Amino acid sequence: MAGIQLIRGFKDILPGETELWKYIEKIAVDVFESFGFKEIRLPVLEHSELFARSIGADTDIVEKEMYTFPDRKGDLITMRPEATASVVRAYIQHKLYAKDPVQKFYTIGPMFRRERPQKGRYRQFYQINAEVFGIASPLIDAQLIFMLTTIFSRLKVADIATHINSLGCPVCRPEFKKALSTLLSSVSGKLCSDCIRRHKKNPLRVLDCKVPACRDAMSDAPAILDFLCPECKEHFNTVKATLENLEIPYHVDKNLVRGLDYYTRTTFEIQTGSLGAQSAVAGGGRYDGLVKSLGGPDHPATGFAIGLDRLAEIISAKSDDLLQNPEIFIAAIGSQSRTAALEWACRLGIEGIKTEINLTDRSLKSQMKRADRLGAAHVIIVGENELKQGSVVMRNMLTKDQISIPVQGLVANIKQTLKGIIH
Ligand code: ATP
Ligand code: MG
């Protein structure tokens, strides 16, 4: 019988990959913390209503991608498809604004969407999120984009482009929707069946369709930027001017809308040429109406999400550099030596010196081969003779130099020797 396999669209992140994931997370956390963001950890399950009310009932996510099911008592619950709604829920529920009107959060974790699995598109994927509450100023939008590009440049990701747009506000967007609807009627023969439905329910979504024919038809779509009210125009101009000031290159993309209903004004996406059709590695924007519409105070908010899976894919080529090879491999011959080796390995471990040992009865040659395969920097060779004589051999695997190290105070001696090599 074939072994049980994981569910389609889900994946394991294995040793060899996790090193890179941790490295990415560390860089992101470093950047967040130096910009005053605090971590928030949220549940994976929420009441389904939270997402229907925030993301929007007529969006792809809510209509067909959510993992929603009744729990044993019949309450409808959903595995979160994104984090912003939950962050807003927590912000309102715990009155996080009461302490300080400005709150900045980051969170990292899995999201679930039942999309068609393909490269860069999974049913469980991971996001790194940043959200800011209480700042209406366009300056923070630019600062978020700056932070995002800082994370990418610290990770040495080349081949990315920052796309920005404004979605206006409830004052100016209706006019644009009308103009868009007029165009949609004239090109409806060219649109996919989803977009024909979207035209009626949520015309902005058509701009977000990935089907090439729809994209073509939308190249002549009116630009929302031509419909912005003076306040929204001013807001967008300040975002652009601030990005220029911060020397962040950007493209204005008139059709950039994003797949969630709650966005207002600034929206942005980081796109890469290295991922084929799944070109968005991060996306975000302002969602000024969301806190209020979920029952909270009328506080502005803005944020972004990085797709961790996609980000890892575009830098995976370099992940070999991140593999942490052992500093010390102890090749022990004979059972007495293995007992000694285990104790040394434990003590070296406590000192933070990464150590591997051999615990089976194998020849020195096969142990040296294993040390080589693991990429150990040094091998300690110990047999019954060495124990008797009170000193072991330490071999530098790169230079092949061998030195003798006294068994008495071995851990301190090794530490000292390694220090000498590093300096
Ligand atoms: P796309 O347009 O590619 O479907 P999206 O607009 O649905 O992305 P968001 O909801 O803005 O994506 O999520 C932010 C980021 O999360 C995306 O830029 C992407 O990198 C990542 N992401 C979204 N959906 C998936 C998925 N199914 N698998 C892997 N990563 C994803
Ligand atoms: Mg999507």
Side-chain angles (χ1 to χ4, degrees):
M1 198 182 88
I4 297 169
Q5 309 266 309
L6 48 62
I7 304 169
R8 190 168 123 83
F10 288 67
K11 66 175 179 176
D12 300 314
I13 302 148
L14 303 173
E17 299 167 280
T18 49
E19 291 81 1
L20 176 64
W21 282 59
K22 280 200 300 193
Y23 176 66
I24 295 172
E25 288 166 6
K26 183 181 176 312
I27 299 262
V29 169
D30 281 354
V31 171
F32 290 148
E33 290 183 348
S34 54
F35 282 83
F37 283 68
K38 301 214 163 100
E39 188 180 17
I40 184 165
R41 297 193 190 197
L42 302 160
V44 164
L45 288 177
E46 297 272 6
H47 291 295
S48 305
E49 194 196 344
L50 174 67
F51 303 111
R53 275 177 55 190
S54 57
I55 299 171
D58 301 325
T59 57
D60 281 359
I61 294 179
V62 172
E63 273 187 342
K64 50 186 192 193
E65 295 173 359
M66 292 201 315
Y67 283 94
T68 295
F69 46 87
D71 76 359
R72 285 168 188 265
K73 286 211 173 132
D75 297 332
L76 270 192
I77 53 178
T78 293
M79 298 181 72
R80 63 174 181 194
E82 57 111 40
T84 304
S86 305
V87 180
V88 173
R89 198 247 328 118
Y91 176 79
I92 298 168
Q93 180 171 348
H94 306 289
K95 296 194 173 57
L96 297 176
Y97 45 84
K99 268 199 197 138
D100 184 333
V102 174
Q103 294 287 329
K104 300 190 241 179
F105 305 113
Y106 71 88
T107 189
I108 302 176
M111 308 296 154
F112 304 84
R113 296 184 195 173
R114 204 175 185 290
E115 304 192 74
R116 194 169 71 79
Q118 53 198 291
K119 187 175 159 56
R121 200 173 284 290
Y122 309 99
R123 291 178 168 180
Q124 173 174 341
F125 61 99
Y126 293 78
Q127 284 188 343
I128 301 176
N129 275 78
E131 317 286 350
V132 178
F133 294 89
I135 305 180
S137 163
L139 296 175
I140 192 77
D141 299 357
Q143 194 187 30
L144 278 176
I145 297 171
F146 180 82
M147 264 174 54
L148 198 45
T149 55
T150 302
I151 293 171
F152 283 87
S153 67
R154 288 240 186 119
L155 290 165
K156 301 199 171 48
V157 181
D159 193 18
I160 57 156
T162 305
H163 291 239
I164 62 169
N165 194 18
S166 172
L167 290 183
C169 67
V171 173
C172 52
R173 203 182 307 158
E175 273 310 304
F176 169 70
K177 270 194 181 164
K178 259 191 233 156
L180 183 62
S181 257
T182 310
L183 174 99
L184 290 176
S185 304
S186 72
V187 297
S188 64
K190 299 181 189 157
L191 301 177
C192 72
S193 56
D194 276 343
C195 281
I196 290 169
R197 191 172 39 81
R198 288 176 185 129
H199 175 190
K200 304 254 150 51
K201 288 176 141 181
N202 198 344
L204 247 68
R205 287 282 82 73
V206 178
L207 294 168
D208 197 38
C209 184
K210 306 282 190 299
V211 175
C214 299
R215 297 219 141 187
D216 274 357
M218 286 301 100
S219 60
D220 295 332
I224 188 159
L225 297 174
D226 295 334
F227 291 79
L228 297 183
C229 62
E231 290 77 17
C232 286
K233 199 171 267 172
E234 170 79 31
H235 189 102
F236 193 55
N237 286 341
T238 308
V239 172
K240 288 191 294 181
T242 313
L243 290 177
E244 280 153 33
N245 230 355
L246 295 168
E247 295 178 351
I248 297 173
Y250 63 85
H251 306 277
V252 174
D253 181 346
K254 74 175 176 69
N255 286 357
L256 178 71
V257 289
R258 331 236 334 94
L260 308 95
D261 271 358
Y262 52 61
Y263 286 106
T264 53
R265 294 191 167 164
T266 321
T267 50
F268 50 90
E269 218 165 72
I270 305 283
Q271 298 182 0
T272 172
S274 336
L275 273 174
Q278 272 52 257
S279 60
V281 247
R286 186 163 274 284
Y287 48 96
D288 286 344
L290 186 59
V291 178
K292 184 159 185 237
S293 82
L294 287 177
D298 191 6
H299 288 178
T302 179
F304 64 73
I306 301 174
L308 188 44
D309 310 67
R310 291 187 194 172
L311 182 51
E313 268 162 44
I314 53 178
I315 45 183
S316 61
K318 292 167 204 144
S319 66
D320 276 357
D321 305 342
L322 300 167
L323 291 179
Q324 291 165 340
N325 299 340
E327 194 122 25
I328 304 279
F329 182 94
I330 308 178
I333 296 126
S335 73
Q336 225 185 323
S337 311
R338 283 195 290 273
T339 305
L342 183 83
E343 188 195 326
W344 297 336
C346 292
R347 298 200 187 289
L348 287 163
I350 291 175
E351 297 292 332
I353 298 169
K354 198 161 177 251
T355 307
E356 277 296 333
I357 46 174
N358 175 69
L359 291 176
T360 50
D361 195 8
R362 294 164 80 182
S363 71
L364 180 62
K365 195 170 156 206
S366 91
Q367 294 192 45
M368 293 305 283
K369 259 198 199 151
R370 178 155 177 250
D372 218 28
R373 220 174 34 240
L374 294 174
H378 303 89
V379 177
I380 303 280
I381 301 165
V382 55
E384 315 287 297
N385 274 346
E386 282 78 6
L387 282 185
K388 241 183 252 150
Q389 285 157 14
S391 68
V392 296
V393 172
M394 178 161 156
R395 181 182 169 91
N396 183 321
M397 297 295 275
L398 198 66
T399 62
K400 312 287 180 218
D401 289 342
Q402 296 200 159
I403 52 170
S404 174
I405 304 230
V407 168
Q408 183 84 24
L410 184 100
V411 170
N413 293 335
I414 290 179
K415 252 179 94 177
Q416 203 56 40
T417 312
L418 291 178
K419 236 191 210 163
I421 293 166
I422 292 158
H423 291 306

